[in-house]
Amino acid sequence: MAGDSDHKPLKPAHPAVKSLAGSIGGAAEACCLQPIDVIKTRLQLDHVGKYKGIWHCGETIIKEEGVRALWKGLTPFAVHLTLKYALRMGTNAMYQSLLRDENGDLSNFRRASAGFAAGITEALVVVTPFEVVKIKLQQQKGTSKELLRYRGPIHCAMTVAREEGVLGLWAGATPTIMRNGTNQMCLFWAKNNFDGPD
């Protein structure tokens, strides 16, 4: 029976493999969490006290708009999470490769830096524009497309770009960069220190 010293360390997965794994996880997460996200958004936008809490909000949405309304904005949310996780995992692996020293080692500081850079990348490329579209779609009441201002995610993005300029899709980018950069810096540092190296 061979001892633990006979095991060779696993070679890190290719960034494309990490991207694929991240995209599958993103799609699954979107389908499961969309109703909670719709309820959260409605509660945040409720300035008149229409909803008495999470359950009441969900029940009211179902009663007034139908159960499908709980999945409003699913398309941009699913694409957003799929692309975000693919980009996060892939760019983090790429940044880690770039930051390794001549021996192939990665210090904790460099690992955290790679995570921070991956978070900034996902915030600018995917998260901010998709969140702008998702929130605008979720705040609409009803399910009849004829009565809605935005007919879908593409129409919403085009309307925002036309009325607010293309940069309107990046409203809130600075706090999103700080949130995602810090989040991924901590995530990838902790993953290495608690789970073991990539």
Side-chain angles (χ1 to χ4, degrees):
M1 185 155 119
D4 285 340
S5 61
D6 294 337
H7 288 88
K8 294 181 182 176
L10 293 175
K11 183 180 174 190
H14 190 275
V17 172
K18 291 190 175 197
S19 290
L20 177 63
S23 66
I24 292 169
E29 180 181 336
C31 293
C32 294
L33 295 182
Q34 185 65 16
I36 295 167
D37 199 58
V38 169
I39 290 168
K40 174 200 66 117
T41 300
R42 292 288 181 91
L43 287 169
Q44 288 173 329
L45 297 172
D46 181 21
H47 301 295
V48 296
K50 177 178 180 175
Y51 307 117
K52 295 175 179 64
I54 294 170
W55 290 112
H56 181 255
C57 181
E59 290 171 347
T60 304
I61 291 169
I62 291 169
K63 188 186 327 176
E64 292 179 357
E65 304 173 50
V67 73
R68 284 183 34 223
L70 291 174
W71 278 271
K72 269 188 178 177
L74 177 62
T75 300
F77 191 49
V79 172
H80 158 233
L81 288 180
T82 300
L83 293 175
K84 177 176 82 170
Y85 290 145
L87 189 64
R88 174 187 298 167
M89 302 308 285
T91 58
N92 183 66
M94 181 189 70
Y95 292 137
Q96 284 187 8
S97 293
L98 293 172
L99 292 173
R100 290 187 187 280
D101 65 19
E102 60 278 350
N103 297 321
D105 295 327
L106 194 63
S107 68
N108 277 330
F109 176 77
R110 288 181 178 201
R111 185 175 307 282
S113 297
F116 190 72
I120 290 172
T121 303
E122 75 180 22
L124 288 174
V125 175
V126 176
V127 176
T128 304
F130 277 90
E131 283 187 355
V132 166
V133 169
K134 175 184 68 99
I135 290 168
K136 287 186 180 290
L137 289 172
Q138 287 177 342
Q139 68 187 3
Q140 299 184 112
K141 306 280 194 277
T143 56
S144 174
K145 289 199 183 236
E146 301 80 41
L147 302 176
L148 299 176
R149 174 170 179 165
Y150 306 112
R151 295 186 301 267
I154 294 172
H155 179 255
C156 180
M158 290 173 61
T159 302
V160 170
R162 184 176 63 249
E163 293 178 357
E164 302 174 33
V166 174
L167 292 180
L169 291 167
W170 278 270
T174 301
T176 305
I177 286 168
M178 295 311 299
R179 177 192 70 194
N180 286 53
T182 304
N183 184 337
Q184 299 324 308
M185 175 180 69
C186 295
L187 173 105
F188 287 109
W189 175 86
K191 179 189 176 304
N192 178 68
N193 284 286
F194 295 112
D195 291 347
D198 292 332

